[in-house]
Amino acid sequence: MHVVRIDAAPAYEAPGHHLMEMRRLQGREASPADTVWLGLSTLAPGGGTTLDGSNVEKIYLVLEGELLLSNGIEEVRLARLDSCRLAPGEARQLRNAGTAPAVVLLVMPLAPAAPATPVPAAVAGTP
């Protein structure tokens, strides 16, 4: 079991993000998670991201407030407890068009672990 208290969750920065406070809740530098990482973002009014894609799936869950989410083709308004999945390579832009902060949980996979390379018996010390 690995607990990360919110006051100890490491803050992080990401390019193309503005008026946002971001914390890593699990994975990467926050914990030894090996399949996904969780981020918690608070978007101030007017805050958001540029329209950009990544090579991994992203899942967003709005915990507080409202959020406009666009993939460059369509835009949806997400309210409290609404979620959205974006496919690998699909662009996304987040925007808080409201007057109150929006709080969003982000779930993203970590890079897959490289398969273990078998050690030849002679190297492992086996005759």
Side-chain angles (χ1 to χ4, degrees):
M1 180 183 307
H2 188 98
V3 174
V4 176
R5 305 284 180 201
I6 189 63
D7 58 347
Y12 69 97
E13 299 283 327
H17 293 58
H18 62 280
L19 296 174
M20 293 177 64
E21 177 186 312
M22 299 170 290
R23 295 198 171 269
R24 198 103 53 205
L25 302 179
Q26 289 290 333
R28 301 205 186 250
E29 72 277 15
S31 76
D34 58 4
T35 58
V36 299
W37 67 272
L38 295 178
L40 185 70
S41 298
T42 302
L43 292 81
T49 69
T50 56
L51 181 64
D52 197 13
S54 71
N55 62 350
V56 295
E57 176 180 59
K58 293 182 181 185
I59 298 174
Y60 293 98
L61 171 67
V62 176
L63 300 176
E64 294 178 23
E66 289 190 348
L67 184 70
L68 294 175
L69 190 137
S70 173
N71 64 2
I73 299 167
E74 64 179 311
E75 182 175 80
V76 296
R77 181 178 298 273
L78 301 177
R80 184 176 178 270
L81 299 182
D82 289 343
S83 63
C84 183
R85 181 246 184 201
L86 295 161
E90 185 175 10
R92 66 86 182 97
Q93 180 178 33
L94 306 175
R95 188 165 47 96
N96 180 356
T99 58
V103 180
V104 180
L105 181 71
L106 167 64
V107 181
M108 284 180 63
L110 293 167
T117 303
V119 177
V123 174
T126 306

